[in-house]
Amino acid sequence: MTLKTLLNETHRSLGAKMVDFGGWDMPIHYGSQIDEHHLVRRAAGMFDVSHMTVVDLKGDRTSEFLRQLLANSIDKLKVTGKALYSCMLNAQGGVIDDLIVYFLADDFFRMVVNASTREKDLAWIRQHAQAFGVDVIEREDLAIVAVQGPQARALVAGLVAEGDRAALDKLGRFAALDVASADGVPLFVARTGYTGEDGYEVLLPQAAVVGFWNALLAAGVKPAGLGARDTLRLEAGMNLYGQDMDEGVTPYEAALAWTVALDEGRAFIGRDVLEAQKAAGNARQMIGLVMDDKGVLRHGQKVLTANGEGEILSGTFSPTLGKAIAFARVPAGEPGDVRVDIRGKEVPVRVVKFPFVRDGQPQPGING
């Protein structure tokens, strides 16, 4: 039974090539993945991400619950609407999922988690919420459209009620706001995204999503598929769950140490394992690679380093850079001269800091 978002027919009418993505029938591109990638880097593109799971958490002890559930600390969220990126870990410190949580009130938080992990995420959250008396409400009534790129915010502003535009214009990065569309539809607009560009992720009632998508089209925003979304997020140095990390990988092994808050007196799930791993200093590491030779770096290829073998996680041809880039997980320590085994041939690659691209521009050192 393939799942479909309410925009499924709209994608087809726009000539989308559809593929199975975690059980959902989703657009991979609308003609050219490369054109859609450049569109988001240079102007604005929109993605149907209604397959993502929205979960509202309500109850007096919700903060206390999230302090235990998440590796990052929600105590950082002081202002209504502010968002936090975090991993949700198992007892072994492995990543069950990565997610964004929004602080809406002392007793009300909203989480957006991945589509492919919906069932296990909800089961895990509900299991641990019980002891805190927290209500876990899956918001299947909401759709999500992401509008990303340097022109994205201005184009969305044109569809928002005039009285809300000034407040939306002031919205800081990684924060959200409730506004209304010009025709009165309630919109939860978050200044977040998965492309490395500025823009919004807009949560709105399912019944209104086709109309909102068509209004964006009429305003000049073109659609982009999951293919461009993947090359954009890898250029931006963002992890993909299931490819760059999973339940057998800790945040330290996925270059996500910055999302782990070892704040005093907070016993989050998996903390003891992370502390032991940090103290030992021998965790596998995730590094960025650029290949200056022709060819493509692909998931599963063997990586050879001074300290032993690793493997390519996410790998792709970067449209912005015009060459292959990848994440790889390799043993701890200075990797030395790194090579990738491509069909039996050892091809040299350069180890670089990621993101590879920021604000549409290659980062220093990426182009050699």
Side-chain angles (χ1 to χ4, degrees):
M1 168 73 187
T2 306
L3 299 162
K4 294 177 180 178
T5 74
L6 282 187
L7 287 165
N8 192 277
E9 287 306 314
T10 308
H11 298 316
R12 291 174 180 278
S13 71
L14 291 166
K17 180 179 193 293
M18 307 296 283
V19 295
D20 180 280
F21 181 82
W24 290 80
D25 187 45
M26 298 298 286
I28 189 89
H29 62 72
Y30 300 81
S32 167
Q33 178 176 324
I34 300 271
D35 288 353
E36 290 161 27
H37 178 105
H38 290 313
L39 175 80
V40 173
R41 285 275 179 258
R42 295 166 187 168
M46 59 180 171
F47 304 84
D48 175 14
V49 284
S50 303
H51 59 312
M52 302 279 285
T53 310
V54 182
V55 185
D56 284 354
L57 304 167
K58 294 185 176 178
D60 293 341
R61 297 178 66 196
T62 306
S63 297
E64 196 186 338
F65 162 58
L66 288 171
R67 281 190 192 101
Q68 178 191 301
L69 187 77
L70 303 179
N72 210 340
S73 176
I74 54 130
D75 296 346
K76 295 173 183 175
L77 302 178
K78 310 283 189 204
V79 182
T80 305
K82 195 71 184 128
L84 182 75
Y85 174 73
S86 181
C87 293
M88 180 167 69
L89 308 180
N90 59 26
Q92 294 75 44
V95 181
I96 292 173
D97 202 6
D98 64 323
L99 55 91
I100 293 178
V101 59
Y102 299 91
F103 168 53
L104 302 180
D106 288 333
D107 58 355
F108 178 21
F109 289 76
R110 171 167 289 165
M111 279 178 16
V112 180
V113 302
N114 283 305
S116 57
T117 50
R118 171 182 298 230
E119 298 307 324
K120 72 165 185 173
D121 284 7
L122 285 167
W124 182 262
I125 293 163
R126 288 193 170 115
Q127 176 194 334
H128 291 278
Q130 249 175 333
F132 296 89
V134 170
D135 289 327
V136 180
I137 306 144
E138 185 184 359
R139 295 296 305 272
E140 292 183 276
D141 57 311
L142 295 177
I144 313 178
V145 176
V147 190
Q148 301 277 291
Q151 296 170 18
R153 292 178 66 218
L155 290 163
V156 171
L159 305 183
V160 168
E162 254 178 73
D164 286 336
R165 284 178 196 169
L168 186 59
D169 193 48
K170 288 198 192 85
L171 185 68
R173 286 183 189 254
F174 239 69
L177 184 67
D178 283 301
V179 297
S181 72
D183 47 5
V185 174
L187 308 174
F188 179 84
V189 181
R191 197 172 165 194
T192 52
Y194 194 51
T195 62
E197 294 298 326
D198 205 353
Y200 296 127
E201 292 179 306
V202 182
L203 283 65
L204 72 167
Q206 292 274 11
V209 70
V210 174
F212 186 71
W213 180 273
N214 288 334
L216 283 164
L217 268 180
V221 184
K222 292 195 170 111
L226 292 177
R229 189 170 154 88
D230 192 53
T231 51
L232 289 159
R233 69 91 196 165
L234 182 53
E235 286 186 352
M238 295 177 176
N239 286 38
L240 174 63
Y241 189 83
Q243 193 147 296
D244 302 316
M245 57 187 168
D246 54 34
E247 293 191 32
V249 175
T250 72
Y252 291 147
E253 297 172 312
L256 292 174
W258 64 276
T259 71
V260 176
L262 296 173
D263 40 341
E264 219 170 298
R266 190 172 67 91
F268 64 82
I269 299 164
R271 175 170 180 151
D272 52 341
V273 178
L274 295 195
E275 286 183 319
Q277 191 174 66
K278 190 178 180 185
N282 61 356
R284 296 173 297 170
Q285 57 182 329
M286 191 168 101
I287 57 174
L289 300 176
V290 172
M291 185 164 73
D292 296 313
D293 292 15
K294 282 201 169 8
V296 182
L297 297 171
R298 296 197 188 283
H299 178 72
Q301 287 170 337
K302 190 160 66 176
V303 178
L304 307 154
T305 79
N307 303 306
E309 289 179 6
E311 70 165 344
I312 299 286
L313 306 169
S314 291
T316 194
F317 175 81
S318 159
T320 307
L321 304 173
K323 54 180 75 172
I325 59 171
F327 288 150
R329 188 165 294 112
V330 300
E334 191 52 51
D337 290 334
V338 177
R339 301 165 320 287
V340 177
D341 185 330
I342 302 179
R343 292 188 296 278
K345 186 183 169 199
E346 292 184 12
V347 180
V349 289
R350 284 186 294 118
V351 178
V352 296
K353 283 201 171 89
F354 49 85
F356 302 92
V357 175
R358 179 171 274 156
D359 295 326
Q361 297 303 313
Q363 288 296 94
I366 297 294
N367 274 331

